[in-house]
Structures are given as structure tokens and as C-alpha cells.
Amino acid sequence: MSSSAPAPSHLAFVPFVSVENMMALVHRIGIDTFLRELADYLEADFKRWPEFDKTPRIAAHSAEGVIELMPTSDSSLYGFKYVNGHPKNMKEGLQTVTAFGMLADVSSGYPTLLSEMTILTALRTAATSAMAARHLAPANSRTMAIIGNGAQSEFQAIAFRELVGIRALRLYDIDRTASEKCARNLAGMGFDITICDTIEVAVEDADIITTVTADKQCATILTDNMVGAGVHINAVGGDCPGKTELHRDILLRSSIFVEYPSQTRIEGEIQQLPEDHPVTELWEVIAGKTAGRTGKSQITLFDSVGFAIEDFSALRYVRDKLEETGLFEKLDMVADPDDPRDLFGMLQRSKMAVAS
Amino acid sequence: MSSSAPAPSHLAFVPFVSVENMMALVHRIGIDTFLRELADYLEADFKRWPEFDKTPRIAAHSAEGVIELMPTSDSSLYGFKYVNGHPKNMKEGLQTVTAFGMLADVSSGYPTLLSEMTILTALRTAATSAMAARHLAPANSRTMAIIGNGAQSEFQAIAFRELVGIRALRLYDIDRTASEKCARNLAGMGFDITICDTIEVAVEDADIITTVTADKQCATILTDNMVGAGVHINAVGGDCPGKTELHRDILLRSSIFVEYPSQTRIEGEIQQLPEDHPVTELWEVIAGKTAGRTGKSQITLFDSVGFAIEDFSALRYVRDKLEETGLFEKLDMVADPDDPRDLFGMLQRSKMAVAS
């Protein structure tokens, strides 16, 4: 473009965090600190939950998977995430879940951040699980079983170490090489890691059971007899219609905590239960309005499906880290003519600028 | 990044069309050809309307404006647009409407295109209006009144010249400098242009009346007495709840054509009418299932609000032009580890690559 072309205003450029810059940001901050600070952002937003515009995500289902848009906003900031879920991708060497998201200014509608969210979603999912467990898991939990050792497993492990104090991991996956991959990735991080041959063995003596499998079907990863009194279950993998991980009998013995009931009743483990089965909204626990765990023998269940406000918190955290780190590019994404009524004139002048 | 870092696969990079590249693309193709070819893409998708997943757009309303997500998909391609509408922006030197959009592969969920859509929306709105008029306006229409001479007006003029044969323009805006800007931008393009002092004068002898004002309120741009028999009304500006341009009596005299009834009844001129007032879906006319204009004295009204499929068509057109023009960048937007279960391993290895 010729230098005679009018320079776009700063609002025309949207900060963009690429995959490479997201990875650099995590390393710059340190993944432990990142997860702790992210959990603080999540807690702050859960505490002001009623301030948000909330809607169940908008899903486009196909035979092979689902593509979803997850918007939310408060009075000043709007955010949404694009995310897919395609279990068959893994066999083709692709990610089951990929995502990106953005923030925009409510008062002008102008985008203010675009970011990769495949990595960021993994971090926010783990941070949300650990934040919930901080309020729901037995005091002094040290041992966690992780059933399903795919892309989310290491993030869960580190978040629970940082936020809950987990030291011992009991890994199980239907494919033992996934467990070995998880153990290898977490080596030297202070965990006592056991790869288990069966789910029964994995959950033995676990204070917390995390289920994070990826099949798009009603599976029964945990049966009733596997779950002892006092355990906290962090059910992450059952997160869309027709996709569950827990036997119904477990749900009937548990105190169930959810993010956004009208979404969870469609997507979560509780899709197996009647519409009026009592559940507690997690934000009420975080905000101190309702008790979390109330007894030693109580089974607590965080029936996690992921909600838009968690992505909003994560994007807000990333945005607040950009200025100090400089780990972003600027995208020429918003047409911004000098005279806002003169979009066509801007287009015409760009032709002259190219020609000159 | 060190050269020892594993190279991401081609799927990790999403083609991105910036504002600058969109303008260059329009000039490379020529705006006349762009609008004609875009109308062909629109017609092709309107003809197969039943094949699409359709949902009213998801709107977040605030005191100052609205932010919307507009998704749709067919069996192989998913698309959505982010778009805002903030009438007060203009006074602050900002665009009333800004937009961007994307396409993704339904079978994998991976994004395949990200594009600016502020300029593209202006083009698709004009092309859609002109496509509708090709089926609804009086034969041999030569004169069009344009009420509201802001950012959309020139695009409407050129699309109607190319697709309908409009030669004479009668411009009216509450702010005369907007009409002067429009006339100046269209000078030398073969139009006979008259700037009018009143709406009454502007609509005199017009074959087509295009209303494209931007106020977020129920306005009465056209009253019943202004609209003579046989006219086609292209109502573009009334496009959200509480925002209309036409007096109700005009609607009662008109044959009304809409994009997607359940959205138009909320957002269009017909929000003034009972829920069961008869309307015709434009796609049925385009597909030859229903007649468009049936008589010389009939008043036809295209109550346009903009629908997701139009953005889908526009994105599809842009995507098909990228390979031959090369007018795009590649964004590092999708995390794509060698082993899809090993997102964490990719993150760890990126640290080593930076350190090495």
C-alpha cells in the first residue's frame, strides 16, 4: 500500500493471540501461576454470576461431531468462543476439540481481542475443575484418579496440584499408551504416578475421581460400586446430549453441582435424571450463598460441561497479560473509514492508493 | 522459534482476509463483477434453502446497540458471522456496523477461513437486495429512490445498476451532506443522480424505493400516501426489534417477501403486524416454487433483515477467490500437535524450542 493511503485508526486493529504466542504466554507466566491466576479470574466472575447475560450454547450437530458458539456478556464486555467436538478426529491425527474466541466492547461493538482457545480451553477447563474441587472435595485431598488420559489429563493434574494439593495420580485409559504419555509428560513435576490396569484399581483410595473420556456416547465409565463414601467426582467428559460417563445410580447418591442448569440438563450427566432433580449452582457455593461439602461421607459431583462465562474469564485474563508481555499481533480486521458513513469512499481510495 | 520445533501441519493455519486484502480483492475482481458473481452464489444457496440448518441470530442487546452471532451450515460447510449494530457509533467516528466471519469444515470442525466482513456485509446486503428485486421489481425498472445515504447507499446503487438496470437515482437523507457524499462517490459511474429535499420528492416516479436508514427506533420514513401502485420497496434499514421504517398501512397494501419468517417477525417491518400475517419466503420465489411479482399495480416489499445464509454465500464466494488471487494471510489459530492426545506435550516442547 502506498504511504499516501490514509492510516487506519488504532481501533481497526484487533490484538490476536496465535497458538505460538499462547504457548509463549503460558511459559512466560509459568503454567502453575497461569492456572492459579486464571482460577482467581474464574472465581471473581463466578461470584458475580447474576451480572452476566446467559444462554445455553448454540450447537450445530452433525453425524461426526458438534460445532458450538458460546456467547456471554456483562454490562461492558462481550465474549464468545467457537469450539468443535469431533471424537473421530483423533483417529485422523486431528484434535477432538479446537477453539478460538474473542472479546468485544459492549458500548461500541468493536472487537478488542481475538485468541486461539484450543490451549486456553484446556487450561480454563482444568482451572474450573480445580476451583470447584477447592470448595467441594474432601479436606486434605492428596490422591486423584484420572480416567481418560487424553489431551485434557495433564492440565487437570497440574491444576489440582496447584489449587487442591493433589500429589498422587492414579491413571487409567482404555489405551495404555495414553496413560504412558500422560505419565511421561508429568514426570519430574513432583507427582507420585501409578498407571492402573482397571478403573477399579485406579479409583481405590482416591479422594477425587476425575473422568475425562472423549467418546460421543452414553458410556458407563464409573459404576456405582466403584464410588465410596466421601469422594469428590469431577466429571468432565460427559458434556453433550447422548454423552455421559457415570452410571445413574451414582448420581442418585451424590450432591450435584452444576454451572448453568438449563445447559447441564441437556448436556451433562444429569441428562439421565428427571428435569426437576435437585442440583446446586456452583456460583452460589463460590459466592458463599450455599454450602459446598457439608459432611465427610457426602459424595460431591461437579457435573461439568463448560460454560461461556469460563471462556469469558479466560479471555479477560489473557487480555490483561498482553500489554506487559507483548505476546500478540495486530490484525487488520475492522474497516474503519475516516467518515463512518463513507465505507464506499474508503474502498475507492484504497484502489487509488494501490495504483499510485 | 527454533528450527528444531516441529512444524505445524497445514490445518493449523487458517486463511485470513484482512480489510486491506478484502479491498484489494474487490478491486482485483471489479466491484461490478464481484456483486454479479456474489448474487449468483446467493441465488445458488437460496435455491437449496431447505438444505441449511437455520436459527434466528443470537443477539445480545444493550442500551447502545446489539451484538449478534449468525450461524448456519449445510452438510459439509459451517459458517457464522459476528456483527454489531450501534447507531450512536457514527457520532463518535465509528462504524455503525462492523463484522467478521468464518467458515469451518463440518466433518472435522476445523476453521477453514476467517474474514473481515464489514465491507463484505455491505456487498452481500446490496447483492441480496438486488437479487430480490430481480424477481420482485417492475420490469424495466430504471429509477430508484434511496432514502438514507449512509455507508450502505453506494453499494445498493451499484448492485441495482448491475443486476436490475437502475440508471436514475433519487437521493434523500436527513443530513444533506450524506447525500452529497453518496453522489460524489457515484459520480462518473453512469448514474443520473438527483439530490432531493424531501422524501416525497425523492420517491416521485421511482420504480424502486430503497430505505436504508440507521436509527434504532420505530421511525416512519415512508407514509402510506408516498407509495404508489406498482412500486417495489426494498426495506433494508428496519432490521431489529423496535427499529422499523415503514408505516403499517404500507405493509397492509403490500405483498411481503422475507428471508426467514421467524427472524423477520421479530426484527423486520412485519414486527408491526400480527404473527399470522401472510408473507412469502424469498427462497421459494428464487427456486421457482412461488410467483414473485404477479401484476403491474402490485406493491412488492422485500422486508430485508439479513440472514446467516447470505453471509455463508458471501464467505463461500470469497473462499473460492483466494487461491487465484493469493489475497490472504495465514493465521496460526489452531493448535495441532503431532499426536492429538498430546496437547500438553506440544506445549512443553514449544518451551524447549524457545530455550534452544
Side-chain angles (χ1 to χ4, degrees):
Chain A
M1 189 188 282
S2 148
S3 59
S4 67
S9 84
H10 71 283
L11 284 171
F13 291 100
V14 179
F16 167 62
V17 181
S18 66
V19 173
E20 185 177 344
N21 271 328
M22 183 63 75
M23 295 195 293
L25 185 65
V26 173
H27 297 312
R28 182 81 61 89
I29 296 169
I31 191 167
D32 305 354
T33 305
F34 194 110
L35 286 163
R36 271 200 315 272
E37 292 183 346
L38 178 51
D40 290 342
Y41 272 65
L42 286 160
E43 286 229 2
D45 286 339
F46 269 73
K47 278 184 182 154
R48 62 190 188 96
W49 194 262
E51 292 175 24
F52 287 92
D53 259 4
K54 291 174 282 287
T55 177
R57 58 182 129 209
I58 300 98
H61 292 278
S62 62
E64 292 130 328
V66 62
I67 294 177
E68 299 170 332
L69 297 174
M70 301 170 67
T72 192
S73 59
D74 63 19
S75 58
S76 65
L77 203 58
Y78 172 95
F80 83 86
K81 179 167 80 169
Y82 168 98
V83 60
N84 75 297
H86 286 71
K88 62 93 199 167
N89 272 7
M90 205 179 71
K91 289 183 205 110
E92 299 165 18
L94 301 174
Q95 284 291 112
T96 300
V97 173
T98 69
F100 71 91
M102 63 156 290
L103 292 175
D105 176 22
V106 164
S107 73
S108 71
Y110 272 51
T112 55
L113 174 69
L114 181 75
S115 177
E116 90 79 35
M117 287 192 79
T118 307
I119 295 166
L120 189 58
T121 296
L123 291 158
R124 78 86 160 121
T125 300
T128 303
S129 284
M131 174 193 73
R134 202 151 56 171
H135 296 268
L136 301 177
N140 305 313
S141 291
R142 290 293 171 268
T143 302
M144 179 161 83
I146 305 182
I147 313 303
N149 302 148
Q152 173 64 203
S153 57
E154 298 94 340
F155 297 95
Q156 288 281 337
I158 297 175
F160 276 77
R161 187 192 64 191
E162 284 304 304
L163 289 155
V164 183
I166 289 297
R167 289 293 174 269
L169 298 176
R170 302 181 68 80
L171 306 182
Y172 173 81
D173 197 288
I174 195 167
D175 175 1
R176 192 180 175 93
T177 65
S179 303
E180 288 164 355
K181 176 265 323 177
C182 180
R184 199 164 53 239
N185 281 335
L186 294 173
M189 294 190 183
F191 290 108
D192 169 15
I193 299 176
T194 310
I195 296 179
C196 304
D197 289 328
T198 66
I199 297 177
E200 285 82 350
V201 170
V203 301
E204 252 173 44
D205 301 323
D207 303 301
I208 297 173
I209 303 172
T210 288
T211 57
V212 58
T213 61
D215 263 356
K216 190 181 179 180
Q217 61 182 27
C218 289
T220 304
I221 308 298
L222 290 185
T223 52
D224 194 33
N225 63 308
M226 296 180 192
V227 177
V231 160
H232 174 63
I233 305 172
N234 172 41
V236 178
D239 62 356
C240 73
K243 181 166 180 297
T244 58
E245 295 180 317
L246 308 186
H247 192 281
R248 189 173 181 278
D249 289 346
I250 299 172
L251 307 183
L252 298 175
R253 287 165 62 208
S254 303
S255 302
I256 302 174
F257 299 83
V258 304
E259 289 139 318
Y260 184 57
S262 63
Q263 180 176 297
T264 311
R265 291 199 191 273
I266 298 168
E267 303 176 355
E269 296 299 329
I270 58 171
Q271 65 188 273
Q272 304 178 62
L273 299 182
E275 271 293 315
D276 59 352
H277 189 90
V279 299
T280 303
E281 293 190 52
L282 181 61
W283 78 266
E284 294 191 320
V285 177
I286 310 279
K289 293 180 181 296
T290 311
R293 171 169 290 270
T294 53
K296 279 198 169 184
S297 63
Q298 184 186 20
I299 299 171
T300 49
L301 165 62
F302 176 39
D303 186 2
S304 170
V305 297
F307 189 63
I309 294 174
E310 295 152 23
D311 302 308
F312 180 98
S313 308
L315 288 167
R316 211 164 57 74
Y317 175 64
V318 166
R319 179 202 63 183
D320 289 353
K321 290 293 177 184
L322 292 191
E323 202 174 332
E324 67 187 80
T325 62
L327 291 168
F328 64 99
E329 300 153 54
K330 287 184 169 181
L331 282 194
D332 169 27
M333 206 161 109
V334 179
D336 190 46
D338 298 334
D339 174 355
R341 294 171 311 186
D342 199 13
L343 189 64
F344 186 80
M346 182 182 80
L347 180 60
Q348 275 184 309
R349 283 188 292 278
S350 78
K351 186 178 189 176
M352 290 183 273
V354 170
S356 69
Chain B
M1 189 187 279
S2 148
S3 59
S4 67
S9 85
H10 72 284
L11 284 171
F13 291 101
V14 179
F16 167 61
V17 181
S18 66
V19 174
E20 186 176 344
N21 271 328
M22 182 63 74
M23 296 195 293
L25 185 66
V26 174
H27 297 313
R28 181 81 61 91
I29 296 169
I31 189 166
D32 305 355
T33 305
F34 193 110
L35 286 163
R36 272 201 313 275
E37 292 183 347
L38 177 52
D40 291 341
Y41 272 65
L42 286 161
E43 286 229 0
D45 286 338
F46 269 73
K47 278 183 182 155
R48 62 187 188 97
W49 195 262
E51 292 176 23
F52 287 91
D53 259 4
K54 290 173 283 288
T55 177
R57 58 182 129 210
I58 300 97
H61 291 277
S62 62
E64 293 129 328
V66 61
I67 293 176
E68 298 170 333
L69 297 175
M70 301 170 68
T72 191
S73 59
D74 63 19
S75 58
S76 65
L77 204 58
Y78 172 96
F80 83 86
K81 178 167 81 169
Y82 168 97
V83 59
N84 75 297
H86 286 70
K88 62 93 199 166
N89 272 7
M90 206 179 68
K91 290 184 204 109
E92 300 165 15
L94 301 174
Q95 284 291 112
T96 301
V97 173
T98 69
F100 71 91
M102 64 155 290
L103 292 175
D105 176 22
V106 164
S107 73
S108 71
Y110 272 51
T112 55
L113 175 68
L114 181 76
S115 177
E116 91 79 35
M117 287 193 80
T118 307
I119 295 166
L120 189 58
T121 295
L123 290 158
R124 79 85 160 122
T125 300
T128 304
S129 285
M131 175 193 71
R134 203 150 57 171
H135 296 268
L136 302 177
N140 305 312
S141 290
R142 290 293 172 269
T143 302
M144 179 160 82
I146 305 182
I147 314 302
N149 302 149
Q152 172 64 201
S153 56
E154 298 94 341
F155 297 96
Q156 288 281 336
I158 297 175
F160 276 77
R161 187 192 64 190
E162 285 302 305
L163 289 155
V164 183
I166 289 297
R167 288 293 173 269
L169 297 176
R170 303 181 66 79
L171 305 181
Y172 174 81
D173 197 290
I174 196 168
D175 174 1
R176 192 180 175 92
T177 64
S179 303
E180 288 164 355
K181 176 264 324 178
C182 179
R184 199 164 52 239
N185 280 336
L186 295 172
M189 294 190 184
F191 290 108
D192 169 16
I193 299 176
T194 310
I195 296 179
C196 304
D197 289 328
T198 65
I199 296 176
E200 286 83 351
V201 170
V203 302
E204 252 173 43
D205 301 323
D207 302 302
I208 297 172
I209 303 172
T210 287
T211 57
V212 57
T213 61
D215 264 357
K216 189 180 179 180
Q217 60 182 26
C218 289
T220 305
I221 308 300
L222 290 183
T223 53
D224 194 32
N225 62 308
M226 297 180 191
V227 177
V231 159
H232 173 63
I233 305 173
N234 172 41
V236 178
D239 62 355
C240 72
K243 181 166 180 297
T244 59
E245 295 180 317
L246 308 186
H247 192 281
R248 189 171 182 280
D249 289 346
I250 299 172
L251 309 184
L252 298 175
R253 287 165 63 209
S254 304
S255 303
I256 303 173
F257 299 84
V258 305
E259 289 139 319
Y260 184 58
S262 63
Q263 180 176 297
T264 311
R265 292 200 190 273
I266 298 169
E267 302 176 356
E269 297 298 330
I270 58 171
Q271 66 187 272
Q272 305 178 62
L273 299 183
E275 272 292 315
D276 59 352
H277 188 89
V279 298
T280 304
E281 293 189 51
L282 182 61
W283 78 267
E284 294 191 320
V285 178
I286 310 279
K289 294 180 179 295
T290 312
R293 172 169 291 269
T294 53
K296 280 199 168 182
S297 63
Q298 184 185 21
I299 300 171
T300 49
L301 166 61
F302 176 38
D303 186 4
S304 169
V305 297
F307 189 63
I309 293 173
E310 294 152 24
D311 302 309
F312 180 97
S313 308
L315 288 166
R316 210 164 58 75
Y317 175 64
V318 166
R319 179 202 62 183
D320 289 353
K321 290 293 176 184
L322 292 191
E323 200 173 334
E324 68 187 81
T325 62
L327 292 168
F328 64 99
E329 302 153 54
K330 287 184 169 181
L331 283 193
D332 170 26
M333 206 161 107
V334 179
D336 190 47
D338 297 335
D339 174 354
R341 294 172 310 187
D342 199 14
L343 189 64
F344 185 80
M346 181 183 80
L347 180 61
Q348 275 184 309
R349 283 188 293 277
S350 78
K351 185 178 190 174
M352 290 183 273
V354 169
S356 70

